[in-house]
Amino acid sequence: MKRSLFLIPFGFFVSANAQSLQGKLSDKQQNPLEDWEIVVTKDKNKTSSITDQNGNYLLKLPENGQYLVEVFSENQKIFSDTVSVNGDTTQNISVPTPEKSNSITENKNIQGVTLTARKKLVERKVDRLVFNVENSVASQGIDAMEALAKTPMIRATDTSISIAGKSSVAVMINDRLLNLSGDELINYLKTIRSDDIAKIEVITTPPAKYEAEGKSGLINIILKKNTSLGWNGTLQTSGVYYWNRPTVSTRSSASVNYQGKKLSVSANASLGDNFWQQKNYTHNIGENYYWNTDTESGSNYRYKGINVKGEYKINDKNLVGISYNYSYSNPLETASNTSSIDDHGEKQSFLSDAHNLNHRNVHNATAFYEVKLDSLDSKLTVSGNIMRNRSNADNFYNTYTDTQTYSTYVNPVNQYRIYSGQADLEKNFKKLKTEAGLKYTKIRNNSDFNYYDILNSQNVLNTDRSNTFLYNEENYAAYFSASYKFSEKWDAKAGLRYEYTDLKGVSPNEDLTSENHYGKLFPTAYISYKPNDDHAFSINYSRRISRPYFGNLNPFKYYSSEFEYYSGNPYLYPSFTDNLELNYVLKNNFTTTFYYNHNKDNWDRIQRIENGIKYSTVLNFYNENQTGISVNYNFNKLKWLESNFYATAYYSKSKSFIPDAVAELDGYGSNFNMENNFFLNQQKTFTFIFGAWGDFPNRSGNTYFKTNYALYSGLKLNLMDKNLMINLYMNDLLNTNESKGTEYYQTFNSDYSYKGTSRNIYLSVTYKFGNNNVKGATKQVKFEEQNRAN
């Protein structure tokens, strides 16, 4: 179907320019030249276009007159001439095909760009994959969260961010880790415009410079450099309507950025609430036995937060900065459960419900000092971090049996304190770059769980179920790495990190003390080979550690009913992962990764049923090997379409080393993500979006995960030179998003399902005003430990 059929209803979005320059670019043999840049100049104003697959170009010009026409290939000027434009003018151009050149021309101040350059949309560096956001038309006029969703190897939704094959992910801005996680992180990323992002780096095997913590990858968002002085601001509001539900989720935020000659400041404030309902079941079925629980739950996550960053440029070599984040949330959580039990013919049932009101206050403060050492960008950075997290809750539980009602009130109080200081030195030479650093971290966690039985409307302290847990941890780290560029084709990088941990947990009520001391080495190595501009190869290796969350170490028994509870395990120890990857990039838009992971001493939830009580805890209980391949392809050969497709297929095998968990499972798994952006007008300011994602059956530990998938669609509209952005999406069109699976144990199997309010309509409106070239304060300080507070 011709594109004109799509454009007729939307013609009022197309600007009506009175003159243009168009034609065909070809070589001396009349072969069309694709992806070449045409730049025309008049009175220092420049306009640019990129030729399509047939060599055609089109430039809308502000006025008639004499123009300088220049033709560029890979930043090398091939041709220049003058042309007189009067109305719609046609000018075919024939040029010689240039030889490959590594020269880079000076930066051009181009205004009124008609099409964004599409060369090198995806690049492979020695230790990371780079997605050039500024070269993707589909990634313009949206926020950072939506830009992440279009980035190879990343899946980003309104509730989570993940890298394929990784269990967790950390996000950095300009190579410094954000001191945010969960909803606070997602809300902050929604305040960043994709037009301010130069590129997104996906680091699947983090170098020695970064913490060895987590089976995770890193996402590094590189912002465009400040180009002028001044200020700007952004206002954003959004809402989510849930299908056949009585309420909506809302979010509002405001941000301001200021850039002076010496001082840069950024501030952001946000508030909102996130509504969620879910139906789930857990059916534990054994021989002549079952324990089935069906649950309806809901939550209203209400939050507000502020973020302030400031940087002061003392001189050309010295920079200081501070950052402060505060977030407050008071989520309301409710649940209603129906449980039925058959224990070898003895049947019983009970009902239970919960009404929990939480209060969470989180403070993060960071400071850094950075000094440049030479003209090769060598620098020394010293930084400090502090995190204070205080939370408490009023939790009410009721259990109803045929003969009795049990009512309880639980008041958990948690106080986290995390302090860290570090020094990082980057010393660069002509072909050699080195990094070295030291870090110290102290973690304190004091938790009090006050458990009361409600008797005759009075709260009576239950000393047997109440508990106090005192946790202290100290970490020492040192690292060194070096990268060397052997030639234009070969790069290598290697590093070594050492981490020593000293921890102690005390539970006075249980008369229990757990201590552990260990030191480990974490090597990393990378080699890349780029024979030409169309091919790039690399091989990476890294070793990682996954330390337990603080809550998983607390031995307190957290009762959800009179017959069910969860308990942490103070004897949990960390797990370790060895990662090996082989990467290949074809023509900067087709990426293939072969990978192998060896996971030792993995920990996860274990369910047990003993003496009429069902409980779960966390244990180190299995090792796992996984081998897989992932592919990513970005299609942008058509003017009216940009598509991104990502898929992973793998084989995994787990083996349990405790008797009751059956984790000798092996088998294949796969997942995919696909998004299409259809541009409905020539300026590409009106876009129709259609996408799908899916997870096919797979296995990990003692769990078999069933198929899960969803479709989504939407419209994106950019107005007022992209200062006003309107996005309208419908998620989970067919209402198919449901997590289902089976956990395997020696005496029973546990079938589960989680089905939430995933089908919804999302509308957001963002308005930006002021100088769009101002970015404000952008640097962050690394503070990885906060993620363990979970």
Side-chain angles (χ1 to χ4, degrees):
M1 183 178 294
K2 295 183 179 179
R3 293 185 60 237
S4 57
L5 297 179
F6 288 96
L7 298 178
I8 290 174
F10 310 110
F12 60 94
F13 291 108
V14 183
S15 60
N17 291 356
Q19 53 281 321
S20 66
L21 178 65
Q22 60 184 328
K24 182 175 183 179
L25 180 67
S26 61
D27 60 19
K28 295 301 183 181
Q29 289 74 39
Q30 298 304 306
N31 297 313
L33 299 175
E34 179 185 2
D35 285 343
W36 284 44
E37 185 177 21
I38 312 293
V39 179
V40 297
T41 307
K42 185 178 185 294
D43 299 330
K44 296 184 179 180
N45 292 322
K46 297 179 182 289
T47 304
S48 132
S49 177
I50 302 297
T51 59
D52 63 15
Q53 65 269 30
N54 296 317
N56 296 321
Y57 70 93
L58 172 65
L59 300 106
K60 297 291 186 179
L61 301 177
E63 59 184 349
N64 293 321
Q66 197 78 5
Y67 283 84
L68 172 66
V69 178
E70 298 174 295
V71 178
F72 294 86
S73 174
E74 298 182 358
N75 290 321
Q76 181 183 2
K77 183 161 66 176
I78 307 302
F79 171 87
S80 66
D81 198 359
T82 58
V83 63
S84 180
V85 175
N86 185 13
D88 294 330
T89 304
T90 299
Q91 180 71 42
N92 295 324
I93 304 173
S94 178
V95 299
T97 303
E99 297 180 357
K100 295 290 184 180
S101 173
N102 294 321
S103 62
I104 300 177
T105 62
E106 62 180 356
N107 293 331
K108 302 177 291 297
N109 182 21
I110 299 175
Q111 301 175 354
V113 177
T114 304
L115 289 175
T116 303
R118 295 176 291 180
K119 282 187 173 295
K120 296 186 178 180
L121 187 64
V122 178
E123 296 180 272
R124 184 73 224 183
K125 301 297 185 181
V126 65
D127 60 353
R128 64 199 64 193
L129 185 77
V130 180
F131 176 63
N132 292 306
V133 175
E134 57 189 348
N135 289 352
S136 169
V137 176
S139 298
Q140 303 305 305
I142 56 180
D143 60 47
M145 277 296 296
E146 295 171 289
L148 287 173
K150 303 178 187 301
T151 302
M153 303 183 72
I154 294 177
R155 176 183 292 179
T157 69
D158 282 336
T159 58
S160 66
I161 305 171
S162 61
I163 297 177
K166 306 296 177 183
S167 59
S168 60
V169 64
V171 179
M172 300 185 293
I173 300 289
N174 288 353
D175 207 37
R176 298 191 181 277
L177 198 75
L178 283 173
N179 296 338
L180 301 170
S181 60
D183 291 308
E184 288 81 10
L185 171 62
I186 291 173
N187 291 333
Y188 174 72
L189 292 176
K190 285 180 176 291
T191 68
I192 300 176
R193 294 206 328 171
S194 62
D195 293 347
D196 297 333
I197 300 174
K199 57 188 175 182
I200 296 175
E201 299 176 340
V202 183
I203 310 172
T204 55
T205 53
K209 177 181 179 179
Y210 304 106
E211 296 289 322
E213 170 65 35
K215 304 173 190 176
S216 62
L218 293 176
I219 297 172
N220 189 23
I221 299 174
I222 304 296
L223 301 180
K224 297 176 182 177
K225 294 182 179 181
N226 288 322
T227 57
S228 61
L229 306 181
W231 69 281
N232 64 33
T234 301
L235 300 175
Q236 184 185 64
T237 185
S238 64
V240 178
Y241 168 75
Y242 298 91
W243 214 256
N244 296 324
R245 293 296 188 273
T247 188
V248 297
S249 295
T250 61
R251 178 187 180 277
S252 299
S253 69
S255 63
V256 62
N257 302 298
Y258 169 76
Q259 175 66 45
K261 292 182 178 180
K262 295 282 189 179
L263 179 66
S264 301
V265 178
S266 293
N268 171 261
S270 63
L271 60 89
D273 62 350
N274 183 39
F275 171 78
W276 185 255
Q277 284 187 337
Q278 181 171 280
K279 289 185 178 181
N280 58 279
Y281 65 76
T282 302
H283 294 171
N284 297 343
I285 303 173
E287 186 176 355
N288 300 319
Y289 181 88
Y290 65 77
W291 186 313
N292 297 339
T293 300
D294 296 274
T295 302
E296 291 189 12
S297 60
S299 67
N300 187 1
Y301 184 85
R302 298 166 291 186
Y303 62 89
K304 55 186 175 182
I306 60 173
N307 170 262
V308 179
K309 297 191 295 291
E311 299 168 10
Y312 183 74
K313 185 178 180 182
I314 302 173
N315 51 45
D316 290 339
K317 293 185 177 181
N318 295 272
L319 178 70
V320 296
I322 60 173
S323 175
Y324 172 72
N325 303 307
Y326 169 73
S327 65
Y328 171 77
S329 61
N330 58 330
L332 174 65
E333 302 166 342
T334 60
S336 177
N337 308 299
T338 301
S339 298
S340 58
I341 305 170
D342 185 343
D343 189 355
H344 296 84
E346 295 184 11
K347 296 184 178 181
Q348 61 175 314
S349 62
F350 65 88
L351 305 177
S352 61
D353 58 43
H355 186 277
N356 302 334
L357 181 60
N358 302 276
H359 312 274
R360 302 168 185 166
N361 287 273
V362 181
H363 300 265
N364 284 322
T366 67
F368 73 89
Y369 170 71
E370 181 179 288
V371 54
K372 293 183 178 179
L373 303 177
D374 54 38
S375 60
L376 297 175
D377 290 331
S378 300
K379 61 184 178 180
L380 173 66
T381 304
V382 180
S383 59
N385 311 273
I386 181 173
M387 173 184 176
R388 301 182 64 184
N389 180 349
R390 179 178 174 84
S391 63
N392 64 79
D394 297 303
N395 298 340
F396 294 89
Y397 302 93
N398 297 292
T399 304
Y400 309 93
T401 68
D402 294 336
T403 59
Q404 192 172 356
T405 297
Y406 304 88
S407 298
T408 59
Y409 165 63
V410 181
N411 173 228
V413 179
N414 294 283
Q415 298 183 72
Y416 299 120
R417 302 288 187 273
I418 305 178
Y419 312 91
S420 73
Q422 65 188 87
D424 299 282
L425 173 65
E426 298 181 22
K427 180 59 178 174
N428 299 327
F429 304 92
K430 187 174 181 180
K431 289 189 175 182
L432 178 68
K433 295 183 178 182
T434 63
E435 299 172 328
L438 300 171
K439 185 174 183 179
Y440 168 76
T441 304
K442 183 176 180 61
I443 300 172
R444 297 182 61 187
N445 174 26
N446 297 338
S447 300
D448 294 299
F449 286 83
N450 306 303
Y451 193 100
Y452 299 88
D453 296 317
I454 302 177
L455 303 175
N456 299 321
S457 301
Q458 300 294 318
N459 295 338
V460 179
L461 182 65
N462 187 326
T463 56
D464 292 333
R465 291 187 175 182
S466 297
N467 187 33
T468 296
F469 184 62
L470 308 175
Y471 181 81
N472 288 277
E473 179 180 317
E474 291 182 285
N475 290 310
Y476 306 83
Y479 72 89
F480 176 81
S481 68
S483 59
Y484 186 78
K485 191 174 185 64
F486 294 93
S487 66
E488 291 300 321
K489 297 181 178 181
W490 287 95
D491 284 279
K493 184 173 183 176
L496 186 64
R497 186 180 185 93
Y498 177 77
E499 294 187 2
Y500 179 81
T501 299
D502 185 359
L503 63 86
K504 182 178 182 179
V506 178
S507 178
N509 303 63
E510 302 283 343
D511 192 23
L512 182 152
T513 299
S514 60
E515 296 184 69
N516 200 359
H517 319 275
Y518 55 89
K520 299 292 182 180
L521 290 171
F522 300 93
T524 56
Y526 313 85
I527 298 176
S528 69
Y529 172 62
K530 188 175 181 180
N532 52 53
D533 288 342
D534 290 339
H535 305 276
F537 302 86
S538 66
I539 184 169
N540 309 331
Y541 167 78
S542 69
R543 192 165 194 254
R544 309 285 291 168
I545 183 174
S546 292
R547 298 181 178 91
Y549 298 125
F550 303 145
N552 289 338
L553 297 168
N554 193 332
F556 170 71
K557 296 178 180 178
Y558 206 107
Y559 283 83
S560 58
S561 76
E562 190 64 18
F563 310 107
E564 300 164 304
Y565 70 84
Y566 163 80
S567 177
N569 177 10
Y571 299 105
L572 271 183
Y573 47 89
S575 63
F576 296 88
T577 302
D578 291 280
N579 304 282
L580 183 64
E581 294 183 357
L582 176 62
N583 304 282
Y584 170 63
V585 179
L586 174 64
K587 293 186 177 180
N588 303 303
N589 62 5
F590 184 82
T591 305
T592 304
T593 300
F594 299 90
Y595 67 89
Y596 169 77
N597 299 327
H598 172 67
N599 304 282
K600 184 179 180 182
D601 298 329
N602 281 351
W603 41 268
D604 204 347
R605 181 188 76 164
I606 290 292
Q607 297 184 71
R608 287 172 173 167
I609 301 174
E610 297 175 353
N611 302 319
I613 298 292
K614 183 176 77 169
Y615 68 93
S616 61
T617 188
V618 182
L619 297 176
N620 301 92
F621 75 92
Y622 72 99
N623 299 327
E624 184 177 55
N625 295 319
Q626 187 177 106
T627 304
I629 179 176
S630 65
V631 295
N632 193 98
Y633 178 62
N634 187 283
F635 176 80
N636 58 355
K637 299 299 183 183
L638 301 176
K639 291 182 179 180
W640 53 274
L641 173 66
E642 184 172 309
S643 300
N644 184 270
F645 176 78
Y646 177 77
T648 300
Y650 55 88
Y651 174 83
S652 63
K653 183 172 184 178
S654 302
K655 185 174 180 61
S656 172
F657 45 82
I658 66 172
D660 53 344
V662 180
E664 297 182 354
L665 303 175
D666 63 280
Y668 295 92
S670 61
N671 56 67
F672 75 93
N673 193 85
M674 176 183 63
E675 181 170 292
N676 302 286
N677 293 265
F678 300 90
F679 307 114
L680 302 181
N681 65 343
Q682 191 171 10
Q683 287 74 23
K684 301 186 178 181
T685 57
F686 194 15
T687 306
F688 171 71
I689 300 168
F690 180 78
W693 62 265
D695 296 315
F696 295 103
N698 62 92
R699 297 167 172 82
S700 180
N702 67 325
T703 305
Y704 172 77
F705 301 92
K706 296 184 179 180
T707 298
N708 189 20
Y709 71 96
L711 306 177
Y712 62 92
S713 184
L715 294 171
K716 181 179 68 176
L717 179 62
N718 291 322
L719 300 173
M720 302 170 60
D721 293 329
K722 297 183 180 179
N723 286 322
L724 178 63
M725 297 173 286
I726 302 174
N727 293 330
L728 177 66
Y729 294 94
M730 183 169 181
N731 296 303
D732 197 8
L733 292 171
L734 304 179
N735 199 27
T736 55
N737 185 2
E738 180 179 6
S739 299
K740 300 176 69 175
T742 302
E743 297 178 14
Y744 293 94
Y745 299 92
Q746 289 286 355
T747 58
F748 65 90
N749 294 334
S750 178
D751 298 325
Y752 70 87
S753 169
Y754 301 96
K755 181 70 180 78
T757 51
S758 55
R759 183 161 63 174
N760 57 66
I761 296 176
Y762 170 80
L763 173 65
S764 71
V765 179
T766 303
Y767 176 64
K768 189 166 185 177
F769 51 93
N771 188 342
N772 288 337
N773 293 323
V774 174
K775 306 299 179 294
T778 60
K779 290 185 178 294
Q780 300 286 336
V781 177
K782 291 187 294 183
F783 195 16
E784 294 89 340
E785 292 79 12
Q786 62 166 348
N787 294 325
R788 292 184 57 210
N790 196 25

